[in-house]
Amino acid sequence: MPALNVEFSDRELEDLRQIAKERGTSMKALVREAAAADIARHRALQEGAEAFRRFFASHADEFAAAFPDDEPKAKSEGQVA
């Protein structure tokens, strides 16, 4: 399995040791779990954003009607000749 060397400050390393000890796990498992959780969170946020974009696009006319002041102005509107 590929590996990654990660550097920590002395304080961070001591904190990791303490947390791992409190949880009854190894430092390696603790760091891997944290990274895996962040990866899962990132993927979920990406999927949520994509679902929102699809929903917004499929209801664009309804949003435009409900919030006309938020619609972009046409190029010819508001320009002085």
Side-chain angles (χ1 to χ4, degrees):
M1 178 184 301
L4 173 68
N5 291 327
V6 180
E7 295 180 14
F8 295 99
S9 69
D10 290 341
R11 175 63 193 260
E12 291 168 333
L13 220 71
E14 185 53 40
D15 288 346
L16 284 171
R17 280 189 191 99
Q18 184 62 37
I19 294 167
K21 182 179 178 183
E22 289 172 6
R23 294 184 185 178
T25 191
S26 68
M27 289 175 46
K28 183 177 179 179
L30 180 70
V31 172
R32 186 177 188 312
E33 181 182 308
D38 196 51
I39 290 167
R41 178 181 168 276
H42 181 75
R43 286 179 182 158
L45 287 172
Q46 285 181 316
E47 291 170 9
E50 182 55 34
F52 175 78
R53 283 191 286 276
R54 284 192 310 269
F55 177 83
F56 188 83
S58 67
H59 297 280
D61 293 338
E62 296 166 63
F63 280 108
F67 306 103
D69 293 341
D70 292 335
E71 286 299 296
K73 303 287 185 221
K75 286 189 177 188
S76 62
E77 288 183 33
Q79 289 184 344
V80 178

